[in-house]
Amino acid sequence: MRIIEDWQYKYIERSLYNYVKLSSDLETERRMKDAITAALVFFNGTIHEQMIREFYFEANQNLNRFGTTNRFHEWVCIERLHTTKTNGYVVRREIIYRIAMNCFISKLFAG
C-alpha cells in the first residue's frame, strides 16, 4: 500500500531541492513553500531539520563537488549527521511524508 503516489514524492523532493527558488506569487508554489516551512517548524532541533538544511537546501551547491546525489547523501549522513546512510534514507522518507501531510491539509494534493 502506498501512502503517496510516486509523482507526489518526486514533486515534494524537487520542491525541497528548489526551496529558495519557490515563488510566493504562484498559489501552488506558495502552498508547497508553506508545507515545507511547517515541516521545518515541526522538526525543529532534530536530525530531520538538519537533513533538510544540510542535504536538500545545499544539494545544488554541492553536486559538482560530489558528482552524484548518492555520494552527497552519504557524506551528509556520515560527516554532518553522524548516522548511517540507511538511516538517512529513513529520515528523508519521514520528511517527505510530513510535507505530504501538510500538502493534503492545505489542499495542494487532493485526497
Side-chain angles (χ1 to χ4, degrees):
M1 182 178 143
R2 286 189 179 169
I3 296 175
I4 60 175
E5 298 293 326
D6 288 341
W7 72 266
Q8 293 168 322
Y9 194 100
K10 290 175 185 177
Y11 178 65
I12 291 169
E13 199 158 50
R14 198 173 321 112
S15 297
L16 278 163
Y17 287 126
N18 296 303
Y19 178 76
V20 294
K21 297 177 187 173
L22 291 177
S23 170
S24 60
D25 296 338
L26 300 172
E27 184 67 20
T28 54
E29 288 188 6
R30 185 187 57 75
R31 286 185 187 185
M32 180 55 76
K33 194 165 193 169
D34 291 346
I36 294 170
T37 302
L40 279 167
V41 170
F42 179 81
F43 290 127
N44 187 32
T46 66
I47 192 173
H48 297 75
E49 179 192 19
Q50 287 179 281
M51 178 65 82
I52 293 170
R53 294 187 188 284
E54 297 282 337
F55 179 73
Y56 287 111
F57 292 176
E58 300 295 324
N60 292 331
Q61 298 168 357
N62 288 304
L63 281 180
N64 290 337
R65 180 176 163 202
F66 291 95
T68 65
T69 304
N70 190 30
R71 282 162 75 204
F72 179 56
H73 169 82
E74 184 175 10
W75 180 81
V76 168
C77 290
I78 294 169
E79 298 296 325
R80 299 292 190 171
L81 305 180
H82 309 292
T83 190
T84 64
K85 183 178 174 181
T86 306
N87 189 50
Y89 286 117
V90 172
V91 169
R92 284 173 59 186
R93 188 174 340 114
E94 290 172 350
I95 291 165
I96 299 294
Y97 288 164
R98 169 51 65 174
I99 294 170
M101 285 190 283
N102 294 339
C103 289
F104 281 107
I105 290 168
S106 70
K107 304 214 185 323
L108 182 59
F109 296 156

